[in-house]
């Protein structure tokens, strides 16, 4: 009996020594033999977690996934959460937008953040409401994505060009919708506006988007919704169509092979934003993997949190933003705007899903 107890005690002691040694090392430095994360990328990840904690503490956002995407907007702007400024923005928004306004519904969280990130929150919402009014026109049922498109145009367009950009955006939207009646909706308006602000005429914009859409659908098995959004994002790059498509799908497939890819839905469009960045694919995949693994150890990123696909979307975005911050190329501003537009579109989709699930669960519990 004594020899057995001795060996058992020895095994436990050795195991404890190993666990203490492992726990004292940063996870990204030991997992699967990965190299230590770049300092700037690590700082960006830590900022993301701090922003999430600040939003959680202030009860600014009600749902974990929405809160994480909200924190990403702060990170994309290189800023940290200012609780008092957010509270002031909430008061301004209540005063400026009516109770039934699209800016006061599910969209209010994101609008408050965008106001807080601006130099003058009151002027920000005044100008966005002006653009929204022009964009809405005589539409009987303008949705929240249209309100989001108004923020995209205001943030990326000189005031003197508002009317021209809005007119061309609406014209391009009509052309795209004529080709894909049931596929195109108001959620595409922000990306279309970015295409126009990149200098495309409506005819060219719709033709390029269609060419890329067909190329993606013919060569790869991805959903039509994801293909259309990716096509619009890729159209902002000046590279040849075949190269843009290869860069996008190649990065997705490489991440998938490494076990760090998003689902095959609109979230995969984040990889399309890498098209204009000349970075070694293997390096990008490795760093996305590092961030993915690092995030797993933080609140809300595990199996019971946002889920693997959303965590990998956030990982890919953080890596992308870090490269954008260190690149002075003219295309970076446009790429950053596209990244934000994708995040915001996914945010609206997630809000809708959450609300639907609440309605369904409430209905079920009532009937039971």
């Amino acid at each position: 009996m004594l020899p057995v107890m001795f060996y058992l005690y020895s095994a436990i002691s050795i195991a404890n020594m190993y666990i203490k040694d492992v726990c004292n090392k940063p996870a990204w430095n030991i997992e699967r033999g990965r190299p230590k994360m770049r300092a700037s990328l690590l700082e960006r990840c830590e900022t993301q977690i701090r922003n999430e904690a600040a939003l959680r503490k202030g009860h600014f956002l009600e749902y974990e996934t929405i809160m994480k995407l909200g924190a990403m907007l702060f990170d994309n702007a290189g800023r940290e959460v200012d609780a008092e400024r957010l509270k002031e923005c909430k008061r301004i928004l209540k005063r400026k937008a009516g109770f039934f306004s699209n800016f006061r519904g599910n969209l209010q969280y994101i609008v408050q953040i965008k106001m807080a990130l601006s130099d003058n929150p009151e002027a920000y919402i005044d100008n966005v409401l002006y653009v929204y009014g022009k964009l809405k026109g005589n539409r009987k049922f303008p949705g929240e994505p249209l309100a989001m498109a108004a923020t995209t145009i205001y943030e990326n367009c000189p005031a003197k060009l508002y009317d021209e950009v809005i007119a061309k955006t609406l014209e391009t939207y009509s052309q795209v919708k004529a080709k894909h009646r049931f596929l195109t909706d108001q959620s595409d308006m922000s990306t279309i506006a970015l295409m126009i602000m990149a200098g495309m005429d409506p005819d060219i914009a719709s033709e390029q988007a269609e060419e890329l859409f067909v190329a993606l659908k013919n060569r790869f098995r991805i959903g039509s919704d994801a293909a259309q959004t990716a096509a619009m994002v890729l159209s902002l790059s000046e590279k040849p169509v075949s190269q843009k498509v290869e860069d996008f799908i190649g990065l997705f497939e490489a991440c998938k092979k490494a076990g760090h890819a998003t689902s095959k839905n609109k979230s995969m469009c984040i990889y399309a934003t890498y098209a204009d960045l000349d970075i070694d694919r293997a390096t990008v995949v490795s760093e996305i993997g590092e961030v993915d693994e690092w995030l797993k150890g933080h609140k809300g990123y595990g199996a019971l949190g946002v889920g693997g696909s959303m965590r990998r979307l956030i990982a890919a975005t953080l890596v992308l933003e870090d490269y954008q911050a260190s690149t002075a190329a003219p295309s970076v501003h446009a790429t950053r705007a596209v990244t934000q537009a994708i995040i915001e579109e996914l945010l609206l989709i997630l809000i809708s899903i959450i609300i639907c699930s609440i309605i369904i669960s409430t209905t079920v519990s009532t009937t039971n």
Side-chain angles (χ1 to χ4, degrees), residues 268-286:
M268 73 183 295
C269 297
I270 193 65
Y271 304 114
T273 59
Y274 279 86
D276 256 351
L277 296 178
D278 295 320
I279 313 166
D280 177 63
R281 184 182 295 170
T283 301
V284 171
V285 173
S286 175

Side-chain angles (χ1 to χ4, degrees), residues 97-125:
F99 182 78
F100 295 104
S101 167
N102 278 323
F103 291 90
R104 285 287 304 282
N106 302 317
L107 194 58
Q108 64 180 321
Y109 304 115
I110 193 70
V111 174
Q112 288 167 23
I113 289 175
K114 290 162 86 69
M115 288 170 66
L117 291 172
S118 69
D119 294 331
N120 186 332
E122 190 158 354
Y124 177 93
I125 192 61

Side-chain angles (χ1 to χ4, degrees), residues 193-205:
L194 288 168
M195 293 166 69
I196 296 302
M197 287 185 284
M200 296 183 195
D201 286 326
D203 291 342
I204 295 174

Side-chain angles (χ1 to χ4, degrees), residues 184-228:
T184 309
D185 57 35
Q186 291 181 20
S187 67
D188 297 308
M189 200 73 81
S190 288
T191 316
I192 290 173
L194 288 168
M195 293 166 69
I196 296 302
M197 287 185 284
M200 296 183 195
D201 286 326
D203 291 342
I204 295 174
S206 60
E207 286 172 9
Q208 285 200 17
E210 181 64 15
E211 184 181 3
L212 283 157
F213 174 79
V214 171
L216 287 168
K217 289 297 293 179
N218 287 346
R219 293 180 58 188
F220 304 99
R221 294 181 178 178
I222 63 175
S224 296
D225 205 23
Q228 177 159 289

